[in-house]
Amino acid sequence: MTTTDINNYTHTQGQQAKTASALMARAPAAVKSRALRALARLLRENVQALQQDNARDLERAVAAGLDAPMVDRLRLTPKVLETCAQGCEQLAAMPDIIGEVSGMKQQPSGIRVGQMRVPIGVFGMIYESRPNVTIEAASLSIKSGNACILRGGSEAIDSNKALARLVVQALQEAGLPEHGVQLVQTTDRAAVGQLIAMPQFVDVIIPRGGKGLIERISAEAKVPVIKHLDGNCHTYVDDPCDLDMAVTVADNAKTQKYSPCNASEGLLVARGVAAQFLPRIGAVYAAKGVQMRACPEALALLQSVADVDVQAATEADWDTEYLAPIISVKVVAGLDEAIAHINQHGSHHTDAILTRDHMHAQRFLRDVDSASVMVNASTRFADGFEYGLGAEIGISTDKFHARGPVGIEGLTSLKWVVLGEGEVRQ
Amino acid sequence: MTTTDINNYTHTQGQQAKTASALMARAPAAVKSRALRALARLLRENVQALQQDNARDLERAVAAGLDAPMVDRLRLTPKVLETCAQGCEQLAAMPDIIGEVSGMKQQPSGIRVGQMRVPIGVFGMIYESRPNVTIEAASLSIKSGNACILRGGSEAIDSNKALARLVVQALQEAGLPEHGVQLVQTTDRAAVGQLIAMPQFVDVIIPRGGKGLIERISAEAKVPVIKHLDGNCHTYVDDPCDLDMAVTVADNAKTQKYSPCNASEGLLVARGVAAQFLPRIGAVYAAKGVQMRACPEALALLQSVADVDVQAATEADWDTEYLAPIISVKVVAGLDEAIAHINQHGSHHTDAILTRDHMHAQRFLRDVDSASVMVNASTRFADGFEYGLGAEIGISTDKFHARGPVGIEGLTSLKWVVLGEGEVRQ
C-alpha cells in the first residue's frame, strides 16, 4: 500500500470505530454478554482452523530464525484458546458497570448531581507477538462498551486475522456493530503512526510491549496513552520482621517467574535483621541459581553461603530491571532509607514491605510513591486478576487516569448527571 | 533573561516542586488547614498592600489600551479578596480526601486489595488576567497535597507576585515547604514552553484561558493536559414538556450571563411544542435583546413576535459558541434528532433536556456524549461549586482522567494497597 492508501485505510477504520462506539456504548448488558459467550463458543469450535492459520505464522517465525521463547509466545495451543474462551465467559458473567450512577446528592440549589459511568469511546491497542491479546482486548472492549482498533505484531498477522474474524462473527450474532472491534489488516508500520494521531476518532492508545515501543508511541501520540514502562520493584525486609515469612515472600517475589514486570529486582534489608536474614535468603537464591549484586555490607554477609553467586553491585544495579535470575541486594539503616531508595531508584510500579511494625507498614503505604504498595505480600500479586478486576488490559505506570493494573474501569469515564425540576441559576 | 537562564530557572523550579511534593503529600490534614486559614488571614490583613501592587498592573493595562472588561478582570477589589479568603476557609473546613482507602476486599489468594487516594504530585497551571486564580489554584494545591507551579498572565505579574508572597508566608507559618506553591516570576513566554515539557518534574498541566492558548499548549505539552475547550451547550425542549418551566429555564440558560462556557448557545425544540413554545421564548429573548439564528421552520414561527431580532441560521451557526446575546434555534422532529444534532454539533460540554417523559429523560442522559447531561435544569449549573465540589480548578472537555468540573479529586490519583500475611503467588 502507498502512504495515501494507508492513510485512507486507517482513517476509514477510525471513522467506522467512532460510529460503532455510539452503538456499543448503548448496548444492553445482556447483548454484550451474548457476544462474549458467542465468542467463547466460536473459539472452541474453531480450534483446528485457528491452529492452521497459526501454523503459517509459526513457519514464518522459524524461517526468520526467531528464538524458541518468541516462537512459543506466538503459538495458539488448545490450552491457550481454552483460556481465552474462559476469559470471555468470565467477563460475560461479571456485573456490567456501564450506566452505573453514583454519588447522586441534592445541592443547595435543589438540583441533584451524580456521576454516570460511561465508555471512553474508542481505544487503539498496539501489541506484539502473543495473538491471544487480540481476544483479551476484544473481549474487554465489548464488555466496557467501547469500540477498539487492534494492531498486533506483524509476526502474528495470520493468527490475528483469524481471531478477528471470529470476533466480528460474535458481534454480528449478538446484533452488535461489526466495526465494534477492528483489526488493522496491514502490517505496514505507517499504520501505527496514523492510528496514534487521530484524536477525532481515537480517545486513548494502549501500547503493550517493550519499553522502546512504548516510549516511541508516547513521544509521537496525539492522544492520551496508558503507558506501561519498567517494573523495577522492591521487597524491603524490615526490622522487626517474621524472618520465616520474609524468606518465603522474598523467594517468591524474585523466583516464581523471572520475566514479569512485577517480579522484585531489588531486595532491601534493615541492618537489624541483615545478619540473620541474608544468609538464609542467600542459600535459597543460591539453590535456584539467582545471582546477587550486593552492597559491601550485604556482600560480607553473603560470601560464606555455600554455592552462592554474589558480586559487588555497581550504581547502575540499583536502577536496573533485570527480568532475569539476578537481584540487587542492599542493607539499609531502616525504614527511612528504604523508602528513600525506592522512591529514588524504583520505577513507581510495585514495592512491598515485610514487617511486624504497624507504624512502619502505614508509613510505607503512604510514602512510597508507587502504583502498588504492599505489606507482607509478594510483589508478584500486582496483576488485574489477582486484584479481582476480572481482566487486565495493561498495567499503568502513570498517575494520570489509571494507575497500576487497568481493568474495565480504566476503559471508562464518569460523566455528570444533573436532575432538576426546573431550577435556574441565580 | 537568556534562553539558558530561563531553562535553568524553570528547571530549578521544577526540581524544587518535585522535592516539595513529597512533603506536601504526607502533610497531615490539620497542617494543610492551618496553611489555608493563615492564607485567608493574610489576604484580609493585606488588602491595602495588595491593592497598591494591583494598581501598578491596572495602570499598565490602561496605558496599554486594554478594554474596560479586561481591566475589570485584573482588579483586586476588597470584595474579590474577601471571596478568595472565604474560599480558603471553605477548603480548610472540607473533609480531607488524601489517604482515604476504599474498596478494600479480600481476594481468593488471601491478600486484601484496596485503593488509596493520593496527590498527583506536581501540577503546572497556566492562566490569563484574573490574579485571584493564583489564590484559587494555590489553595486547591495545598488542600489536595500537591505542589504546583503557577504561570499567570504578564498583565497581572505585580498582583500575582504579591499574592504568591502571602502564599509562601502561609505555607511557612504552617510548617509546609515554601516551594509547595511557586509562581513563575518571569513574564518571558519561553518559560511556558519549558514548564509544559518537564515530565520528570511536572505530572499534569492545567491551562485556563482562550481556546488558542489551550490548543497551543495541548499540541506542545510533553505531559498530560486537563483541557477546557469550547462550550457549545444546548437546551432541548421536548414534547411533552411543561412550557412554563421551559420558558424559565431556556431564558436562564441563555441570558443569566452571556460569557460563561456553560451558557446555552443552541435551543432545540420538538416540533410538537414548537408553535406554542417558540413565540413565548421569542418574546422573552426579544425583550432582552437576544438575537435568534433560526432554521426555516423556527423562523416562520418567530417572525410575528413583537420587536424580535431573528435571522436565518447558516450551517456555521450550529457549530458556534457565541458567548454573546445570540442563540441558534432549530425545530427537530423529536428526541432522536435532538440527540443526533447535539452529538454532531455540540462540544461535549453540557446539554440539557426539558421534558415530562421519563423514557426520554433516561435516553438523553445515556446517549448524549457530554461531560454534563441534565434533565429540567439550566445548563448554567455546570460548575464545581454548584456540583458541591467545594472548588473548581477548571472544567475538562476531555474524557480521560477528569471530565466536566474538576475539583480536588481531579488533582489526585488512586494507588493500590495490598495487605497480606505472607501470601505468595502460586
Side-chain angles (χ1 to χ4, degrees):
Chain A
M1 288 207 253
T2 66
T3 310
T4 313
D5 289 341
I6 298 267
N7 284 1
N8 289 341
Y9 174 74
T10 319
H11 197 266
T12 302
Q13 282 203 317
Q15 235 158 2
Q16 286 168 345
K18 184 83 182 167
T19 305
S21 72
L23 300 169
M24 295 298 291
R26 73 180 69 152
V31 172
K32 292 185 282 182
S33 294
R34 202 185 304 152
L36 289 166
R37 289 203 195 88
L39 180 53
R41 197 198 73 239
L42 289 166
L43 286 168
R44 290 187 179 116
E45 285 174 3
N46 288 278
V47 170
Q48 285 199 329
L50 288 166
Q51 287 194 287
Q52 279 164 20
D53 288 307
N54 183 234
R56 290 201 300 282
D57 287 332
L58 293 173
E59 273 167 39
R60 268 202 321 275
V62 172
L66 264 65
D67 63 9
M70 279 286 278
V71 174
D72 252 12
R73 279 202 284 276
L74 264 182
R75 199 181 303 276
L76 284 179
T77 63
K79 185 160 170 290
V80 166
L81 290 167
E82 177 57 25
T83 304
C84 285
Q86 285 177 12
C88 292
E89 288 171 337
Q90 280 163 15
L91 274 177
M94 278 175 66
D96 199 299
I97 60 172
I98 299 303
E100 188 180 271
V101 174
S102 57
M104 186 64 72
K105 285 197 196 90
Q106 197 179 41
Q107 300 302 324
S109 62
I111 58 172
R112 283 166 296 142
V113 179
Q115 288 181 296
M116 185 190 287
R117 193 166 287 286
V118 293
I120 283 209
V122 177
F123 70 88
M125 185 141 162
I126 297 159
Y127 50 102
E128 295 168 336
S129 49
R130 289 183 213 273
N132 42 324
V133 174
T134 304
I135 298 299
E136 286 174 30
S139 57
L140 270 165
S141 181
I142 294 168
K143 181 72 181 186
S144 59
N146 286 288
C148 69
I149 302 176
L150 307 177
R151 171 52 147 86
S154 56
E155 66 284 359
I157 185 71
D158 283 312
S159 314
N160 285 335
K161 280 184 180 172
L163 291 166
R165 270 195 301 274
L166 299 185
V167 174
V168 171
Q169 201 178 326
L171 287 169
Q172 289 174 322
E173 272 189 31
L176 288 170
E178 61 170 324
H179 296 128
V181 176
Q182 295 177 88
L183 181 77
V184 178
Q185 305 267 340
T186 166
T187 58
D188 195 308
R189 272 164 178 264
V192 174
Q194 275 293 306
L195 180 58
I196 65 177
M198 304 192 293
Q200 70 276 37
F201 300 132
V202 178
D203 296 288
V204 57
I205 291 286
I206 307 170
R208 256 169 73 167
K211 197 179 168 181
L213 171 80
I214 292 165
E215 284 181 333
R216 205 166 56 244
I217 284 170
S218 304
E220 291 167 20
K222 302 282 178 219
V223 297
V225 176
I226 295 182
K227 279 195 284 295
H228 178 187
L229 294 168
D230 331 27
N232 184 11
C233 305
H234 294 82
T235 299
Y236 164 55
V237 181
D238 190 33
D239 175 18
C241 180
D242 176 335
L243 294 187
D244 290 342
M245 178 198 76
V247 170
T248 309
V249 174
D251 173 18
N252 183 268
K254 178 72 238 177
T255 72
Q256 195 253 346
K257 242 183 173 180
Y258 297 113
S259 59
C261 55
N262 55 18
S264 282
E265 307 290 12
L267 179 67
L268 303 174
V269 184
R271 185 158 293 129
V273 300
Q276 281 180 276
F277 175 73
L278 277 176
R280 290 186 60 186
I281 193 70
V284 171
Y285 287 160
K288 297 191 177 181
V290 174
Q291 182 183 82
M292 287 171 281
R293 309 261 178 101
C295 72
E297 201 172 337
L299 195 62
L301 291 165
L302 285 164
Q303 264 162 341
S304 58
V305 175
D307 301 323
V308 74
D309 179 4
V310 64
Q311 62 182 58
T314 64
E315 264 308 303
D317 278 304
W318 312 129
D319 301 310
T320 302
E321 182 187 22
Y322 303 110
L323 301 174
I326 309 172
I327 191 164
S328 67
V329 183
K330 190 178 202 305
V331 174
V332 293
L335 181 68
D336 286 333
E337 193 183 336
I339 292 172
H341 180 96
I342 291 169
N343 284 339
Q344 189 189 339
H345 296 285
S347 65
H348 311 288
H349 188 295
T350 300
D351 299 282
I353 183 174
L354 311 180
T355 189
R356 293 198 77 91
D357 187 303
H358 178 73
M359 305 278 277
H360 288 189
Q362 295 302 315
R363 281 209 39 219
F364 189 91
L365 292 177
R366 187 190 65 185
D367 293 345
V368 170
D369 183 26
S370 295
S372 290
V373 284
M374 302 186 166
V375 177
N376 295 336
S378 168
T379 55
R380 287 280 293 112
F381 280 117
D383 173 283
F385 291 93
E386 294 291 344
Y387 282 6
L389 303 184
E392 179 183 288
I393 193 88
I395 296 185
S396 165
T397 49
D398 280 325
K399 292 182 179 182
F400 204 66
H401 187 69
R403 201 170 178 188
V406 180
I408 294 161
E409 215 176 273
L411 296 173
T412 66
S413 78
L414 293 169
K415 71 178 176 188
W416 294 94
V417 170
V418 176
L419 303 179
E421 300 179 358
E423 283 83 357
V424 294
R425 183 96 180 256
Q426 300 302 332
Chain B
M1 288 206 252
T2 66
T3 310
T4 313
D5 290 341
I6 297 267
N7 284 1
N8 289 341
Y9 173 75
T10 319
H11 197 267
T12 303
Q13 281 203 318
Q15 236 158 1
Q16 287 169 344
K18 185 83 182 166
T19 305
S21 72
L23 300 169
M24 295 299 291
R26 74 179 69 150
V31 172
K32 293 185 282 181
S33 293
R34 203 184 304 151
L36 290 167
R37 289 204 195 88
L39 181 53
R41 198 199 71 238
L42 289 166
L43 286 168
R44 290 187 180 118
E45 286 174 2
N46 289 277
V47 170
Q48 285 198 331
L50 288 166
Q51 288 194 284
Q52 278 164 22
D53 289 307
N54 183 232
R56 291 201 299 282
D57 287 334
L58 293 173
E59 272 166 40
R60 269 202 321 276
V62 172
L66 264 68
D67 63 9
M70 280 286 277
V71 174
D72 251 12
R73 278 202 285 276
L74 263 182
R75 199 180 302 275
L76 284 179
T77 63
K79 185 159 170 288
V80 166
L81 290 167
E82 176 58 27
T83 304
C84 286
Q86 285 177 11
C88 293
E89 288 172 338
Q90 279 163 18
L91 275 176
M94 278 175 66
D96 199 298
I97 60 172
I98 298 304
E100 187 179 273
V101 175
S102 57
M104 186 63 72
K105 285 197 197 90
Q106 196 178 43
Q107 299 302 324
S109 62
I111 58 172
R112 283 165 298 142
V113 179
Q115 288 180 297
M116 185 190 287
R117 193 165 287 285
V118 294
I120 283 209
V122 177
F123 70 88
M125 183 140 164
I126 297 160
Y127 51 102
E128 295 169 336
S129 50
R130 287 183 215 274
N132 43 322
V133 174
T134 303
I135 298 299
E136 286 175 30
S139 56
L140 270 165
S141 181
I142 294 169
K143 181 72 181 186
S144 59
N146 286 287
C148 69
I149 301 176
L150 307 177
R151 172 51 148 88
S154 55
E155 65 285 0
I157 185 72
D158 285 311
S159 314
N160 285 335
K161 280 184 180 172
L163 291 166
R165 272 196 299 274
L166 300 184
V167 174
V168 170
Q169 202 178 325
L171 288 169
Q172 289 174 321
E173 272 190 32
L176 289 170
E178 60 170 326
H179 295 129
V181 176
Q182 294 176 91
L183 180 77
V184 178
Q185 305 267 339
T186 167
T187 57
D188 195 307
R189 272 164 180 267
V192 174
Q194 275 293 304
L195 180 59
I196 65 176
M198 306 192 292
Q200 71 276 38
F201 301 131
V202 177
D203 296 288
V204 57
I205 291 286
I206 307 169
R208 256 170 71 169
K211 197 178 170 184
L213 171 80
I214 293 166
E215 283 181 335
R216 205 165 58 241
I217 285 171
S218 304
E220 290 167 20
K222 301 284 178 215
V223 297
V225 176
I226 296 182
K227 278 195 284 297
H228 178 186
L229 293 170
D230 333 27
N232 184 11
C233 305
H234 294 82
T235 298
Y236 165 55
V237 181
D238 190 35
D239 177 16
C241 181
D242 176 333
L243 294 187
D244 290 341
M245 179 199 75
V247 170
T248 308
V249 174
D251 174 19
N252 184 268
K254 179 70 236 178
T255 73
Q256 195 255 344
K257 242 182 173 180
Y258 297 113
S259 59
C261 56
N262 55 18
S264 283
E265 307 290 13
L267 178 67
L268 303 174
V269 183
R271 184 157 294 129
V273 299
Q276 281 181 276
F277 175 74
L278 277 176
R280 290 187 60 186
I281 193 69
V284 170
Y285 287 159
K288 297 190 176 183
V290 174
Q291 182 182 83
M292 288 172 280
R293 308 262 178 100
C295 72
E297 201 172 337
L299 195 61
L301 291 166
L302 285 165
Q303 264 163 340
S304 58
V305 175
D307 300 323
V308 74
D309 179 3
V310 63
Q311 62 183 58
T314 64
E315 263 308 302
D317 278 304
W318 312 129
D319 300 311
T320 302
E321 183 187 22
Y322 302 111
L323 301 175
I326 308 172
I327 191 165
S328 67
V329 183
K330 191 178 202 307
V331 173
V332 293
L335 181 68
D336 286 333
E337 193 183 336
I339 292 172
H341 180 96
I342 290 169
N343 284 338
Q344 188 189 340
H345 296 285
S347 65
H348 311 288
H349 189 297
T350 301
D351 299 282
I353 183 175
L354 311 181
T355 188
R356 294 198 75 91
D357 187 301
H358 179 73
M359 306 278 277
H360 288 189
Q362 295 302 315
R363 281 209 40 219
F364 189 91
L365 291 177
R366 187 190 66 186
D367 293 345
V368 170
D369 183 25
S370 295
S372 291
V373 283
M374 302 186 168
V375 177
N376 296 337
S378 168
T379 55
R380 287 281 292 113
F381 279 116
D383 173 283
F385 291 93
E386 295 291 343
Y387 283 5
L389 303 184
E392 179 183 287
I393 192 89
I395 296 185
S396 164
T397 49
D398 280 325
K399 290 183 182 183
F400 203 65
H401 188 68
R403 199 171 182 189
V406 180
I408 293 161
E409 216 177 274
L411 295 173
T412 66
S413 79
L414 293 169
K415 71 178 177 189
W416 294 94
V417 170
V418 175
L419 303 179
E421 299 178 359
E423 283 83 356
V424 295
R425 183 96 182 253
Q426 300 304 331

